[in-house]
Amino acid sequence: MTTHHYCLNTSLNTVEFDLNSKRQQLWSAVIDALAYMDGTLSMALLHELMAIERYWAFPSLAIQYRLQHYVGLGQFNLALQLAGNCQAQLLLARQKSYAPFNTFLDDLDKPLYEDGYAKIKKPCFDLLIIHPNPVAYVELYDRALKALQQERDECYYDLVFVNNIADAALALISNPNIQAYMSVSGSLMYSDSALANQCLTTLQGLARTEDNYALISVDNALIFTQIAAIIRPEIEHYYLSELAFAALSPHYFQAFHRVFYHEHPFKDLHHYVLNGIRERYNTPFYNALHAYSKKPKGVFHALPISRASSIKDSLWVKDFYEFYGENTFNGETSSTQGGMDSLLNPKGAIKSAHDKAATCFGAQQSFFVTNGTSTSNKIVTQANLVPDDIVFVSSDCHKSIPYAIMLCGAHAVFLETNAVDDFDLYGAVPLALIINKMQQLSQAGLLARLKHIILTNSTFDGLIYDVEAYMMAILAIKPDIVFHWDEAWFAHAHFNVLYHRRHAMNVAKRLNVRFQSAAYRYLYDTATDRSHLPDPDRVVLRVYATQSTHKSLSSFRQGSMIHVYDQAFNHDHFFEAFYIHTSTSPNYQILASLDIARRQMALEGYQRTLTSLHLAMMIRQRIANHPTISQVFRVLSKEDIYPTGNAEPIHQPHDFLASIHEFNSEGFVIDPTRMTVDIAKTGMDGNQFRKLLIDKYDIQVNKTSRNTVLFIVNIGATEQTAHYLIQVLAEIAERLLTRQTANTVIGHKKAPIQLPQRRHYHPLFSTLSVACAHGEGVEVIDMRQAFYAGFQPQNISYVLINQDSLAAAQQGQTWVSASYVTPYPPGFPVLVPGQIIDAPLLSYLSTLKIKEIHGYHESLGLKILHERYLNSDNIK
Ligand SMILES: Cc1ncc(COP(=O)(O)O)c(C=O)c1O
């Protein structure tokens, strides 16, 4: 055996995140072992591979036996050829569509050429059959279903057979290519694989809080529907019963998309399976736009650019037409007729697209928005607040939110998030703080005016709330509060089991089931301490999520969605707010791309998110373990971003099941796909490092701070790009280390800046504030009054940030902001109208070297309210 093998095995142990990635590595390891003609290692690896391959249809077990046979005979060349072809097919399956079952086993023994192994460019997926007796039935199913598949079908499928629900759970979690499953009555619970059983137990734990009847059912098939709904809520599921229709409990009809009764379900199964895929594939608005763009039309209304009429024959702007191409302009129309629909009054294609999005994202209703989550936030806020309401909002919220609150005339309580001075970033709002402020409002008789709470989940830096715990505790105090979760960065969450308990729509659904259950009522009725338990008779679930589809899924920029789970939804209020903020000429390309983004996630959301998690885990591990990179770079842990005082920093687990377990526990977690890397040791600051990455290596990053750079692994990331990043970090680290002498440190952390934390307001604008005895209090701000006071020239003046103002501030002078001031980063308003500018705030602003500070006039300085105005008697 060579050293090479040992290296491979080490890497196997370090980057296997889930079974899918382990499988890919095992194939590489097998090929390596065959190339080195190491029979013992080849056999051992093949054996390991066979235990995993049962969860995939291709390559079949027959191939594994053949490989073992060749190795047994010492025919390494033949084995290598066969294994190499299998691996090539597997790689192709990810890059292109192909139908493996159409490849004859014997063909795989021969060299394959490009057109030889990718003849059929159609999607091919796996259909999972959970059958108590696979040995006797697998061949029958295989033959019967393959006979039904025809060339004209849009896609093909292959079969994965298991006889128990533990294996079925592991198959579903590991093989993202499974698109539907059928349970046959009588299947078993446990597997001979310890991993499968462990997987089942972990998922049962995740499902159990829902108090669902099915989890205690006597039929494993019903239990499995609950497990599967957590892993892959989007896939269709069928049941084959041995009982007659009348004898079957109604639970089955609720739990499954379709129940079959007869002995030969093949024809029905085949049609339902394909139809299920068609339903998810169908993109009503994109289809309508596509069809519309193909129809011949004479345009006698606005929009001369439609069909490129005004540009394609222009001598001066023709290049624009050539760059974007014909279809872009054919799809430009303002029509709401002829198969199209109106976003402002959706009844046709857009309505159907909305309904499909709601199903896909687990909402009661979903709405497309064409001006980003900046607009979605304004719509949701304006739909639910009236003047003089009180709203809780995290201090580091996106600026669209304070603007929206001001438009409503509501009063805001900014909830402080923990500041991490070393890395210039903010964590999240502790639950205890929210509860404390709610209790104080209650004591002051103001709780009835608190209507809405807005939290950012996940934060820019990937910190994710324990959504369920927060909602439970808050509903226990105020059972009808509106939750507005700003999930601008979290549209992918619904598509991976990892985030199941951590995003708005799923938690709303879980809580609804829970509050209606007898088990919860018993818990509530018998509890001696109900402080954390919402009253099931009074609770009204009102939950909104706003997501920038363009940030984490495949839509054009500004594509955003509002997802609603609101038991007191007011259609009129919502649409009024929608009309206020929506253009009467919404961009159809953006709408079509939202429809497409939904289609993609409905069909490959799990696969995409699994791959990005795997790549992110790989990058994290490489940074931590690489001998050179680890000396210079470090990925911040949860403990860095939300310190809990644990002496031991908590590391992200590198195993999928362990991660699911961690994400299902209490407290904050970090989205593995967002990596904040400490770059202090490079001696560069974030801006310099960003410049180096883009200028020299063509790597674009999203956010930097003085000591950090944020890398986001999105659903488009590939192994190649991940490896490239590692290679670049290694190169930079290598250079720095060779430059340093034995006794010098390469770089050092830039001195921390004290980040502003608690906001204070001028009493004129915070008349609703509640001050409690020990000075904590609830400071409530009416930004609107201060903002509009600033529109009168006689009420304002400016203060420059310079030595003089800093010295004055040190002496105790303060000013009152007349506007919003938003530096990038951190990207949220550190000042709002009415807020007091004191020494710490001014000194923070003076340390910012960034060029982009919205609301700051370079020549004039900060806009402030004049003393004259603040002291005048005529203010209301
Ligand atoms: C938390 C948060 N909410 C909302 C937005 C606005 O989203 P959009 O750019 O889609 O308007 C952003 C943008 O960065 C954000 O970070």
Side-chain angles (χ1 to χ4, degrees):
M1 196 182 299
T2 64
T3 351
H4 189 55
H5 286 142
Y6 286 115
C7 291
L8 240 167
N9 275 332
T10 318
S11 77
L12 261 181
N13 290 334
T14 53
V15 291
E16 64 188 46
F17 170 58
D18 62 337
L19 218 53
N20 197 15
S21 45
K22 179 170 182 180
R23 174 184 184 232
Q24 285 161 24
Q25 286 166 33
L26 272 171
W27 273 105
S28 301
V30 164
I31 287 171
D32 244 42
L34 292 172
Y36 282 89
M37 298 192 189
D38 185 331
T40 320
L41 183 63
S42 302
M43 278 298 200
L45 289 169
L46 275 173
H47 193 71
E48 209 179 326
L49 195 55
M50 279 175 87
I52 297 177
E53 282 294 333
R54 64 171 124 167
Y55 304 117
W56 278 266
F58 176 86
S60 66
L61 274 185
I63 289 176
Q64 320 275 321
Y65 286 130
R66 188 177 278 219
L67 276 171
Q68 285 187 335
H69 178 68
Y70 287 150
V71 174
L73 294 176
Q75 292 183 327
F76 288 101
N77 282 347
L78 269 177
L80 195 58
Q81 180 79 69
L82 178 55
N85 286 340
C86 288
Q87 194 190 35
Q89 295 256 26
L90 287 172
L91 289 174
L92 268 174
R94 278 186 289 150
Q95 290 155 16
K96 301 179 186 178
S97 318
Y98 78 113
F101 70 83
N102 271 25
T103 313
F104 294 110
L105 182 54
D106 286 345
D107 284 349
L108 285 173
D109 272 351
K110 300 172 202 141
L112 293 177
Y113 300 99
E114 171 70 8
D115 60 343
Y117 52 94
K119 269 187 232 135
I120 303 155
K121 303 219 167 139
K122 281 185 186 181
C124 178
F125 61 88
D126 288 353
L127 169 64
L128 175 66
I129 309 280
I130 310 154
H131 196 293
N133 190 0
V135 179
Y137 281 86
V138 67
E139 191 140 349
L140 173 68
Y141 271 71
D142 214 37
R143 253 196 259 148
L145 288 169
K146 275 175 192 165
L148 287 164
Q149 300 194 35
Q150 303 193 358
E151 273 210 23
R152 65 164 185 271
D153 293 341
E154 304 90 325
C155 43
Y156 291 108
Y157 57 88
D158 227 338
L159 303 182
V160 172
F161 252 82
V162 295
N163 73 348
N164 63 80
I165 63 166
D167 273 333
L170 190 55
L172 216 50
I173 212 166
S174 311
N175 178 355
N177 204 28
I178 293 174
Q179 292 287 7
Y181 70 88
M182 183 174 81
S183 279
V184 180
S185 56
S187 48
L188 309 176
M189 183 98 172
Y190 294 109
S191 162
D192 57 357
S193 149
L195 184 65
N197 295 336
Q198 186 197 337
C199 174
L200 181 65
T201 313
T202 305
L203 295 168
Q204 274 176 314
L206 195 52
R208 190 160 292 127
T209 48
E210 293 176 43
D211 294 327
N212 204 310
Y213 67 88
L215 277 180
I216 47 160
S217 162
V218 285
D219 189 342
N220 293 334
L222 279 182
I223 296 180
F224 186 64
T225 58
Q226 301 306 300
I227 307 291
I230 284 180
I231 315 171
R232 301 285 304 278
E234 74 282 10
I235 68 173
E236 289 77 27
H237 38 288
Y238 309 102
Y239 183 66
L240 179 60
S241 165
E242 281 172 355
L243 294 177
F245 172 80
L248 212 56
S249 130
H251 286 152
Y252 288 86
F253 300 94
Q254 286 161 13
F256 291 96
H257 282 113
R258 179 82 191 178
V259 178
F260 308 120
Y261 310 97
H262 38 91
E263 256 177 50
H264 294 284
F266 306 116
K267 213 168 179 174
D268 280 354
L269 179 62
H270 172 74
H271 289 302
Y272 273 100
V273 165
L274 286 189
N275 230 26
I277 301 290
R278 272 180 214 125
E279 279 294 311
R280 281 187 270 154
Y281 187 90
N282 183 13
T283 32
F285 184 74
Y286 170 67
N287 296 358
L289 186 64
H290 194 271
Y292 191 89
S293 71
K294 296 260 174 293
K295 289 187 202 155
K297 272 173 285 293
V299 179
F300 288 100
H301 61 90
L303 208 67
I305 209 166
S306 171
R307 315 187 82 76
S309 339
S310 61
I311 56 171
K312 68 177 165 211
D313 57 357
S314 160
L315 287 177
W316 302 99
V317 295
K318 198 174 173 182
D319 58 321
F320 182 63
Y321 165 71
E322 282 160 1
F323 175 68
Y324 276 107
E326 178 120 15
N327 281 337
T328 307
F329 301 100
N330 286 349
E332 269 299 294
T333 169
S334 55
S335 175
T336 54
Q337 316 283 312
M340 305 299 287
D341 196 6
S342 161
L343 181 64
L344 294 161
N345 184 20
K347 290 204 165 101
I350 294 181
K351 171 79 177 95
S352 309
H354 281 169
D355 291 346
K356 280 183 172 291
T359 308
C360 182
F361 288 83
Q364 287 177 327
Q365 304 183 71
S366 294
F367 299 92
F368 291 174
V369 176
T370 56
N371 194 18
T373 298
S374 305
T375 294
S376 298
N377 282 341
K378 290 180 192 136
I379 294 171
V380 172
T381 312
Q382 198 124 30
N384 290 298
L385 284 170
V386 298
D388 291 336
D389 278 350
I390 295 178
V391 49
F392 277 8
V393 54
S394 61
S395 206
D396 62 341
C397 64
H398 186 255
K399 65 178 177 172
S400 53
I401 288 176
Y403 285 137
I405 295 171
M406 185 182 70
L407 291 176
C408 303
H411 301 247
V413 174
F414 285 95
L415 306 164
E416 298 90 48
T417 52
N418 66 294
V420 187
D421 293 345
D422 274 354
F423 301 109
D424 300 350
L425 52 87
Y426 287 86
V429 185
L431 180 56
L433 182 95
I434 300 175
I435 292 174
N436 174 283
K437 299 226 183 275
M438 289 179 86
Q439 283 165 345
Q440 289 190 57
L441 280 189
S442 175
Q443 281 156 17
L446 287 171
L447 192 60
R449 283 169 79 164
L450 172 66
K451 296 285 173 57
H452 203 103
I453 176 162
I454 310 174
L455 295 170
T456 310
N457 191 47
S458 77
T459 67
F460 210 143
D461 308 288
L463 200 61
I464 306 174
Y465 281 83
D466 186 346
V467 176
E468 197 159 312
Y470 273 60
M471 281 176 47
M472 283 292 283
I474 293 167
L475 286 170
I477 303 176
K478 180 102 174 93
D480 59 350
I481 196 165
V482 175
F483 290 94
H484 174 170
W485 292 94
D486 182 343
E487 294 182 350
W489 292 99
F490 213 30
H492 55 286
H494 189 70
F495 302 94
N496 202 289
V497 47
L498 188 67
Y499 310 104
H500 182 73
R501 274 188 62 223
R502 301 254 172 196
H503 68 96
M505 288 303 111
N506 262 2
V507 172
K509 207 191 273 177
R510 282 168 68 92
L511 290 185
N512 189 27
V513 174
R514 190 156 185 213
F515 293 145
Q516 287 182 32
S517 71
Y520 181 77
R521 180 162 293 279
Y522 179 79
L523 179 74
Y524 183 79
D525 288 345
T526 54
T528 42
D529 175 12
R530 289 178 177 170
S531 58
H532 275 60
L533 296 175
D535 179 346
D537 288 330
R538 290 179 57 227
V539 79
V540 187
L541 277 165
R542 309 203 59 194
V543 188
Y544 290 76
T546 48
Q547 298 180 346
S548 294
T549 317
H550 67 101
K551 290 198 204 296
S552 40
L553 310 181
S554 307
S555 97
F556 287 134
R557 235 163 121 79
Q558 296 192 5
S560 171
M561 292 192 205
I562 300 172
H563 302 299
V564 184
Y565 199 103
D566 184 354
Q567 293 173 331
F569 182 72
N570 188 314
H571 182 274
D572 291 349
H573 293 177
F574 185 85
F575 269 89
E576 279 299 348
F578 205 85
Y579 300 148
I580 294 173
H581 296 286
T582 305
S583 161
T584 39
S585 311
N587 183 304
Y588 282 175
Q589 326 278 356
I590 298 177
L591 292 178
S593 75
L594 285 167
D595 210 8
I596 287 291
R598 190 277 307 149
R599 178 208 286 175
Q600 179 177 40
M601 296 320 273
L603 287 159
E604 56 175 13
Y606 184 58
Q607 182 183 355
R608 293 261 162 196
T609 50
L610 197 60
T611 305
S612 57
L613 282 168
H614 162 60
L615 293 177
M617 289 300 194
M618 185 186 84
I619 297 171
R620 282 168 176 273
Q621 262 189 349
R622 290 281 153 86
I623 293 177
N625 299 340
H626 192 284
T628 326
I629 301 178
S630 61
Q631 289 186 57
V632 178
F633 299 103
R634 182 176 74 91
V635 181
L636 298 194
S637 69
K638 178 174 75 178
E639 193 59 21
D640 287 310
I641 299 180
Y642 193 88
T644 53
N646 282 348
E648 285 291 305
I650 303 155
H651 292 292
Q652 200 88 29
H654 294 293
D655 164 279
F656 195 31
L657 283 184
S659 301
I660 292 173
H661 188 73
E662 197 213 357
F663 270 58
N664 194 28
S665 324
E666 287 175 4
F668 289 95
V669 286
I670 295 268
D671 186 348
T673 64
R674 300 178 79 87
M675 290 168 291
T676 305
V677 176
D678 180 350
I679 54 153
K681 287 191 182 163
T682 62
M684 287 175 255
D685 69 16
N687 273 338
Q688 292 164 324
F689 196 75
R690 179 207 294 261
K691 198 164 158 10
L692 172 73
L693 287 181
I694 191 74
D695 289 353
K696 185 149 184 226
Y697 300 105
D698 285 328
I699 291 178
Q700 205 185 329
V701 293
N702 192 307
K703 180 197 160 197
T704 57
S705 74
R706 283 167 324 127
N707 287 316
T708 65
V709 171
L710 174 69
F711 294 97
I712 300 176
V713 183
N714 67 32
I715 62 159
T718 62
E719 222 152 291
Q720 214 178 331
T721 49
H723 284 297
Y724 179 58
L725 176 63
I726 297 296
Q727 193 188 324
V728 167
L729 293 180
E731 190 181 307
I732 296 172
E734 193 99 22
R735 285 230 185 117
L736 284 164
L737 290 171
T738 44
R739 237 193 275 152
Q740 82 169 338
T741 58
N743 297 324
T744 55
V745 193
I746 17 175
H748 55 85
K749 197 171 259 159
K750 266 67 71 211
I753 298 179
Q754 260 219 317
L755 298 175
Q757 268 195 304
R758 187 137 186 207
R759 296 170 192 261
H760 302 290
Y761 313 108
H762 191 281
L764 272 180
F765 314 110
S766 55
T767 47
L768 291 182
S769 287
V770 178
C772 88
H774 28 91
E776 277 292 303
V778 187
E779 296 200 66
V780 189
I781 170 75
D782 174 5
M783 294 174 283
R784 187 188 183 108
Q785 197 195 334
F787 181 78
Y788 284 113
F791 271 34
Q792 303 298 326
Q794 70 275 19
N795 291 347
I796 57 161
S797 67
Y798 289 87
V799 59
L800 277 166
I801 304 173
N802 57 24
Q803 289 311 325
D804 293 344
S805 56
L806 282 166
Q810 291 305 338
Q811 299 300 315
Q813 179 162 359
T814 58
W815 300 267
V816 177
S817 180
S819 65
Y820 296 88
V821 177
T822 309
Y824 282 82
F828 64 83
V830 294
L831 277 177
V832 298
Q835 187 175 336
I836 292 173
I837 306 166
D838 55 9
L841 241 164
L842 205 63
S843 109
Y844 165 73
L845 288 170
S846 74
T847 54
L848 296 177
K849 290 208 186 95
I850 43 183
K851 293 197 178 67
E852 200 171 333
I853 306 184
H854 296 179
Y856 180 72
H857 300 254
E858 273 194 27
S859 55
L860 296 171
L862 298 165
K863 184 167 141 182
I864 52 163
L865 289 169
H866 207 283
E867 281 297 312
R868 203 173 38 236
Y869 169 77
L870 295 171
N871 295 330
S872 62
D873 296 335
N874 54 359
I875 303 164
K876 87 166 179 184

